[in-house]
Amino acid sequence: MKIKRIVPLHVGQFMYARIETDSGLVGIGEAGTWGHLQAAGAAIQRFAEYLEGKPAFDIEHHWNVMHRFSYFQGLAINAAISAIDIALWDIKGQALGVPIYELLGGAVRKKARIYGHVYESSIEKILVECQAKMDAGFNAFGHLNPFLDEGNDQVWFKTHIKKMRDAIDNVHRIREVVGDRVDLLIELHRRLTPPEAVTFTNAIEDTHPMFVEDPIRPEGPDAMARVADKINVPIATGERFATIYEFQALLARNAVEFARVDLCLCGGITGGRKVAAMAEAHHVQIVPHNPLSPIGLAACLQLAAAVPNFAIQEYATGFEAGIFESRPEHLGSDVVDEVPRPDQGFVDIPSRPGLGMALVPDAQQRRPPLSKPISMRPHFDGFVIDQ
């Protein structure tokens, strides 16, 4: 079976690689650089020059060619590789009549635990949304930001003591509302310095969060290791990593306990299973990252079905049009033919051949192309803050 045509599809806030074969099968994969969709789309077109006419089943070979060619990489390029890789696995599963997890060694689980997003600009709204998520059957909440998801139009400044105490109090208030019914996955979104991360995390240890995610910017593995050495709450990080080697650097430094591999950035299903294997050897669990459409979710669930060290899966209930607002349904549910539905905090692993879902024919009509404007929240001193 040969690859006949590869095209990027910009659907709303999502970018896909659509691959057609000479046998008539079509595969779909998603690119994860939601801030730079056009760049990923251009890279998909560039790789099509090499892939069209090549055997569709040679996934590992193509993965290596795309990564090794001229050795120019980065998030947009690797997001394109990821989308193409996922689409090729989708084709192979369809051709052989099995879900992708059967090609990865078979299922070790039939369900995946999930966590829903909580996006809100005030602690009062967070507490209301936590109750709504519990009523909907979720038993874990993520994107739970005690520093709040306020708009980029609001100038920011707080003293150190106020910044710490407000966020610490917010976590304790959340725990009071949810009791022991829910695991809290505290999202810090890279907005703290190492000393701030240590101060804050040690002060919420008594609430027993499952982890704190991205307490500091992720580029420096030594800095992350420094933080990990001074706190007793596990760290989750890795959602913005584009290569397996960035995970290796963290694992070697004992700087991560939950690897947030993004299959739509870190090499697709091929890259994801490599990260999972490295993590398994270090007794580290994976928490696949997906603030994207159900296509990205489907890829994550196929991997989750096949690896022993899967912990929990991100289930994006919010971020419509790039807005930090909580919603009941999965982001982008209207562009696919099937979405796994939460039931008692879990979803069933899709078992149809390939990914287990497909784009609807009129996806682009339902969601015209949308790009996130470039902006950052200003600090009072004139600089910008990570948020």
Side-chain angles (χ1 to χ4, degrees):
M1 184 188 302
K2 299 294 180 64
I3 297 169
K4 181 180 178 181
R5 184 168 179 253
I6 300 178
V7 294
L9 291 179
H10 190 169
V11 177
Q13 68 199 75
F14 315 119
M15 177 61 70
Y16 302 108
R18 184 180 187 275
I19 300 182
E20 302 172 12
T21 67
D22 58 5
S23 70
L25 290 179
V26 175
I28 196 77
E30 186 162 7
T33 46
W34 49 262
H36 296 284
L37 293 175
Q38 292 92 336
I44 290 170
Q45 290 179 310
R46 171 70 166 144
F47 285 127
E49 298 173 16
Y50 155 73
L51 287 163
E52 290 174 357
K54 299 291 195 305
F57 277 16
D58 293 353
I59 299 174
E60 180 74 29
H61 183 82
H62 298 325
W63 192 90
N64 274 275
V65 170
M66 289 186 289
H67 273 98
R68 292 167 183 258
F69 164 69
S70 77
Y71 213 82
F72 287 110
Q73 297 191 27
L75 288 169
I77 292 173
N78 287 21
I81 295 172
S82 301
I84 290 167
D85 181 86
I86 293 168
L88 289 175
W89 280 103
D90 187 23
I91 288 168
K92 195 164 192 173
Q94 291 180 59
L96 299 177
V98 295
I100 292 169
Y101 62 72
E102 292 289 2
L103 306 177
L104 302 177
V108 298
R109 59 180 57 82
K110 295 297 184 182
K111 296 179 181 293
R113 191 181 179 202
I114 57 171
Y115 70 85
H117 285 178
V118 176
Y119 297 102
E120 297 298 346
S121 59
S122 72
I123 184 58
E124 290 76 21
K125 291 180 179 179
I126 285 177
L127 299 180
V128 170
E129 183 60 25
C130 284
Q131 185 62 57
K133 285 287 191 293
M134 285 192 293
D135 293 343
F138 285 91
N139 56 33
F141 304 155
H143 203 289
L144 196 59
N145 185 354
F147 293 91
L148 308 179
D149 291 313
E150 298 172 322
N152 282 1
D153 59 334
Q154 300 180 48
V155 176
W156 189 88
F157 173 74
K158 283 186 179 181
T159 60
H160 172 78
I161 185 65
K162 182 70 170 169
K163 181 179 181 180
M164 293 294 104
R165 284 191 173 173
D166 284 354
I168 292 163
D169 180 62
N170 287 344
V171 176
H172 284 90
R173 291 180 66 182
I174 294 168
R175 179 55 78 193
E176 288 175 6
V177 167
V178 305
D180 61 2
R181 292 173 55 189
V182 170
D183 283 320
L184 303 181
L185 288 56
I186 303 299
E187 171 69 87
L188 301 182
H189 253 174
R190 311 165 306 283
R191 68 189 294 169
L192 301 182
T193 63
E196 288 174 336
V198 171
T199 299
F200 166 78
T201 306
N202 284 338
I204 65 165
E205 182 181 339
D206 61 338
T207 67
H208 304 288
M210 187 172 175
F211 55 67
V212 292
E213 181 176 355
D214 285 338
I216 63 172
R217 292 177 62 92
E219 299 95 338
D222 291 327
M224 194 70 77
R226 197 165 80 238
V227 172
D229 190 52
K230 293 179 171 64
I231 64 176
N232 293 319
V233 177
I235 287 177
T237 191
E239 67 180 47
R240 281 170 168 73
F241 289 173
T243 71
I244 62 176
Y245 309 107
E246 292 162 288
F247 283 100
Q248 189 278 333
L250 283 182
L251 293 166
R253 291 164 171 79
N254 298 318
V256 60
E257 294 296 340
F258 292 93
R260 297 284 279 126
V261 59
D262 189 320
L263 271 64
C264 299
L265 278 180
C266 194
I269 289 170
T270 301
R273 68 174 181 168
K274 293 174 190 285
V275 172
M278 286 194 297
E280 181 184 0
H282 285 80
H283 298 279
V284 166
Q285 293 181 291
I286 66 166
V287 179
H289 178 250
N290 186 61
L292 306 169
S293 83
I295 294 295
L297 172 68
C300 293
L301 292 176
Q302 292 297 324
L303 181 68
V307 299
N309 55 327
F310 165 79
I312 195 168
Q313 173 60 50
E314 182 169 11
Y315 191 89
T317 51
F319 204 46
E320 277 286 351
I323 298 172
F324 286 143
E325 184 177 82
S326 299
R327 297 172 67 93
E329 71 280 352
H330 194 285
L331 175 65
S333 292
D334 61 331
V335 302
V336 295
D337 60 358
E338 184 176 345
V339 182
R341 302 295 181 184
D343 181 16
Q344 301 179 74
F346 289 77
V347 295
D348 292 331
I349 307 290
S351 58
R352 286 163 41 189
L355 279 175
M357 70 174 66
L359 286 181
V360 295
D362 62 342
Q364 286 184 302
Q365 285 69 47
R366 293 187 184 190
R367 292 190 178 227
L370 179 68
S371 296
K372 183 177 176 62
I374 296 176
S375 70
M376 290 192 72
R377 190 176 183 185
H379 192 278
F380 184 77
D381 67 5
F383 193 51
V384 295
I385 64 168
D386 290 297
Q387 178 171 299

